[in-house]
Amino acid sequence: MPRMGERAYVYAKACGIIGKSFVGSRIAALEPAGRLTDLDRLVFPQSFRELPERELLVDLERRILDSAVNQIISLVNSYAQPPEFLVRLLRSYEYEDLKSALSAIAGKEAKAFTFTNLGRFGVVKFGAYPDMAAMVSGTEFESLISQASREGDSGIVLQIKLDKHYYTMLWESLYRLKRQDRDGIEAILAEEISLRNVVWALRLRTYYHMSGDDVREWLIDLEFHPHSHKSGTGNRRSLAADAEAMLELPLDTYSPWVSWKRAAFLNPGWSDTWTADPRYFQNAASRHLYHLARHYFHRRPFSVDTAACFIKLKQFEEDLLTSLAEGLGMGMTSRDVFALLEVKP
């Protein structure tokens, strides 16, 4: 476990970086951006680029991603022996790159693949692209990818299997932390997995027209045991329960959803032609998780919780800046993008 000196240093470093990040009250500083060039100067005042807007969008999105990753790596590297849980949080980028590589290979895109450099924390050999067997050789992905290849899995099925693998390994590493180091991030991760299950269920039912029984087998069915500070015990619950509870609800009628536990995350049911919107739900879930991360960030300053919440806040900032860049690239105003995401500057 990290020593107290490391913990104090990590907390101070995390606070310093977050204080300069576009989260909390600093989101309002993004509102004046009317064009991509404005956003570039706001986010990278010392290193903005003079590029045509089409080129600038791709370049800016890459720099936003690299900046977030580099700051996360810098914090995780502050530990002499980084906790496995933090490393696995960081490696969420590797999972996304692996899914992108698999899609590119399936589409026979043999050109050089751009991936996120995680330094010593990465395990996939992306330099071997497009040779997937060589890329995952000797890693925890090797058996998963080879089995998927034998079974003919591709597309959405393989993505779901990778997501299930990511969250299962992350959940297991969480419980290798001491209770005082995981109190906040345990609650956040439980919410994230539960809400991720719902998003998957909505997407599979809406876009792939899967039945409830078909969706059920793809849910991440992990068990959460909330801790009660009064009794020391809590009620065990499945993190797939909320998704399972909506599998038979009609996607085109709002009233049956009203009593569902996660109804507050749904798009409003004012219209007679209402249909459940997975993207609206996902944005609402993202805002909820962001507020949880802000809540827990300062709650236990010298715990691993702080570093984990830092990672979540930087990832929220990255998503927000990327969405804003894409919106400005399509001619929207920053206010339009904030309204679409329901983010209040």
Side-chain angles (χ1 to χ4, degrees):
M1 285 291 105
R3 299 187 300 272
M4 183 52 69
E6 284 181 327
R7 293 170 181 269
Y9 177 77
V10 166
Y11 179 62
K13 186 170 186 174
C15 288
I17 295 173
I18 290 299
K20 297 176 182 178
S21 299
F22 293 99
V23 296
S25 61
R26 292 206 74 237
I27 292 177
L30 298 169
E31 197 168 13
R35 299 179 61 188
L36 277 176
T37 51
D38 300 332
L39 181 63
D40 194 7
R41 284 167 169 77
L42 282 169
V43 179
F44 300 105
Q46 307 302 320
S47 58
F48 59 85
R49 307 283 173 84
E50 298 289 350
L51 293 171
E53 288 223 339
R54 182 174 297 180
E55 294 178 32
L56 180 57
L57 176 58
V58 176
D59 182 78
L60 180 56
E61 288 183 333
R62 188 73 236 177
R63 282 183 287 135
I64 289 169
L65 172 62
D66 288 343
S67 176
V69 170
N70 289 337
Q71 288 181 322
I72 293 170
I73 289 174
S74 174
L75 191 84
V76 175
N77 266 327
S78 298
Y79 295 98
Q81 294 183 316
E84 178 194 358
F85 179 75
L86 297 181
V87 174
R88 288 199 171 274
L89 274 181
L90 170 60
R91 287 183 56 212
S92 64
Y93 292 98
E94 188 169 61
Y95 278 78
E96 292 305 311
D97 282 347
L98 184 56
K99 287 189 287 187
S100 296
L102 286 163
S103 295
I105 291 170
K108 302 188 185 305
E109 299 175 26
K111 63 181 180 180
F113 180 75
T114 302
F115 67 95
T116 305
N117 186 0
L118 301 185
R120 68 188 179 104
F121 300 114
V123 299
V124 177
K125 307 171 190 71
F126 286 107
Y129 178 86
D131 185 345
M132 181 55 65
M135 287 168 60
V136 300
S137 176
T139 74
E140 63 192 61
F141 301 109
E142 186 172 14
S143 60
L144 188 153
I145 298 297
S146 62
Q147 181 183 359
S149 179
R150 289 193 303 271
E151 296 176 357
D153 293 337
S154 61
I156 192 70
V157 172
L158 192 48
Q159 286 192 36
I160 294 174
K161 285 187 174 181
L162 281 167
D163 276 3
K164 289 181 74 171
H165 182 270
Y166 170 71
Y167 280 111
T168 299
M169 300 301 288
L170 186 64
W171 192 249
E172 289 176 359
S173 68
L174 172 72
Y175 283 97
R176 286 191 278 274
L177 293 172
K178 292 183 178 179
R179 161 63 63 180
Q180 60 267 29
D181 266 328
R182 69 171 195 261
D183 193 49
I185 195 60
E186 180 180 11
I188 294 171
L189 187 57
E191 281 287 272
E192 180 177 337
I193 294 171
S194 178
L195 293 169
R196 183 64 172 251
N197 274 325
V198 174
V199 171
W200 267 120
L202 282 173
R203 287 181 61 191
L204 293 174
R205 292 186 62 199
T206 301
Y207 304 138
Y208 297 90
H209 309 293
M210 286 190 182
S211 68
D213 288 338
D214 289 336
V215 170
R216 189 172 283 106
E217 69 172 294
W218 299 117
L219 299 178
I220 304 167
D221 192 7
L222 296 170
E223 192 174 74
F224 179 41
H225 190 178
H227 180 71
S228 169
H229 295 287
K230 292 182 179 180
S231 64
T233 61
N235 296 319
R236 295 180 183 273
R237 65 180 176 89
S238 167
L239 297 181
D242 294 341
E244 289 178 341
M246 50 72 70
L247 291 180
E248 304 305 326
L249 296 178
L251 293 172
D252 59 355
T253 307
Y254 181 73
S255 56
W257 295 78
V258 173
S259 59
W260 179 53
K261 180 180 177 180
R262 301 295 188 174
F265 295 88
L266 290 167
N267 47 307
W270 304 321
S271 171
D272 292 336
T273 58
W274 180 88
T275 56
D277 184 349
R279 297 179 70 178
Y280 187 99
F281 189 98
Q282 186 168 349
N283 287 338
S286 177
R287 291 193 303 274
H288 172 62
L289 295 170
Y290 158 69
H291 288 299
L292 285 179
R294 285 195 69 201
H295 171 73
Y296 282 107
F297 179 64
H298 292 293
R299 189 167 177 176
R300 303 175 72 89
F302 304 129
S303 68
V304 176
D305 262 354
T306 293
C309 289
F310 168 87
I311 293 173
K312 290 298 182 184
L313 289 172
K314 291 304 298 184
Q315 290 175 335
F316 171 84
E317 180 198 36
E318 175 205 333
D319 288 343
L320 176 64
L321 292 176
T322 300
S323 296
L324 186 53
E326 290 174 350
L328 292 174
M330 292 188 293
M332 299 172 67
T333 67
S334 56
R335 289 187 179 182
D336 291 336
V337 177
F338 289 143
L340 184 65
L341 299 176
E342 295 197 1
V343 171
K344 296 179 180 179

